[in-house]
Amino acid sequence: MQQGLVEPGWTFVFQIINTIVIFLLLRHFLFKPVTEFMAKRTQSIEDQLAGAQEKETEALALKAQYEEKLAGVREERNEMLKEAARKGEERGEILIQEAREEIRKMEERSRLDLEREKTKAINEFKNQISELAVLAAAQIMEQELDQQKHDAMIQKFIEKVGREKWQH
């Protein structure tokens, strides 16, 4: 007779019982802890993914804040540069105005100095003419004059004064 794979008998029954016992033991000691471990691991991975998603959201919010602050800093920098340029222009204008005022003062001092020198020269010239007139008067008094000598003396005086005037 030919034997099949499964023959009914006590061996078959024991094999089925052994299989059921092994299944129950494996289920209790292996499948249940492995399933719990896998569930915990799955939950841990899901928590990590949720945490990563939350951190990504926070990072995007921080990035947006940073970009906003950076834009504010750039705008503030531009305003500071504009303000510095404006102040520089104002200071330049003040310096130009001060230089113009100093030039005006120098011109005024020069004009006053020239007027003083002119007045001084005129006064010196008047003093020299006075001295010459006194000398001429002294010469006239020393000599006995007739009309002809008187006219000659005046002419000589005028020539002398004219030469003195043109030499100075």
Side-chain angles (χ1 to χ4, degrees):
M1 237 177 107
Q2 198 180 14
Q3 289 188 349
L5 286 175
V6 181
E7 288 184 26
W10 288 106
T11 307
F12 179 67
V13 173
F14 284 119
Q15 282 180 346
I16 290 180
I17 292 174
N18 280 339
T19 304
I20 292 174
V21 169
I22 288 176
F23 175 74
L24 292 175
L25 287 174
L26 286 176
R27 183 175 163 208
H28 180 65
F29 291 108
L30 185 64
F31 292 138
K32 191 173 184 182
V34 169
T35 306
E36 287 175 5
F37 172 78
M38 292 302 286
K40 288 179 183 176
R41 181 71 180 145
T42 302
Q43 185 61 40
S44 171
I45 291 171
E46 287 175 356
D47 289 344
Q48 287 177 351
L49 286 175
Q53 184 66 31
E54 185 178 312
K55 290 202 185 274
E56 182 182 7
T57 304
E58 287 176 13
L60 289 174
L62 287 174
K63 181 182 176 188
Q65 287 177 349
Y66 170 77
E67 288 175 351
E68 184 179 322
K69 286 181 181 179
L70 185 62
V73 167
R74 285 182 182 145
E75 185 177 322
E76 185 177 340
R77 179 200 65 196
N78 289 339
E79 288 299 318
M80 289 173 71
L81 288 174
K82 287 178 186 176
E83 182 66 20
R86 185 188 60 76
K87 284 183 179 179
E89 287 177 9
E90 285 177 1
R91 182 67 182 147
E93 288 296 321
I94 289 171
L95 289 175
I96 289 170
Q97 195 64 25
E98 288 174 354
R100 286 181 180 155
E101 183 63 24
E102 186 64 28
I103 289 170
R104 188 194 62 75
K105 287 179 182 178
M106 289 172 69
E107 287 174 345
E108 182 65 22
R109 281 192 300 262
S110 296
R111 187 186 61 76
L112 291 174
D113 287 344
L114 284 173
E115 285 180 17
R116 274 194 299 268
E117 289 297 320
K118 181 180 173 184
T119 304
K120 183 178 173 183
I122 289 172
N123 287 337
E124 285 179 14
F125 185 67
K126 286 178 182 179
N127 287 338
Q128 288 176 356
I129 290 176
S130 298
E131 288 175 13
L132 289 174
V134 169
L135 286 174
Q139 279 184 351
I140 291 173
M141 292 187 131
E142 288 178 5
Q143 297 179 4
E144 192 178 300
L145 290 180
D146 62 357
Q147 185 63 31
Q148 198 174 24
K149 283 184 178 179
H150 186 284
D151 289 342
M153 204 178 241
I154 290 175
Q155 190 63 29
K156 185 177 176 184
F157 174 74
I158 291 174
E159 287 176 12
K160 188 175 179 182
V161 170
R163 270 182 286 164
E164 292 279 326
K165 181 179 178 183
W166 291 112
Q167 288 176 357
H168 291 288

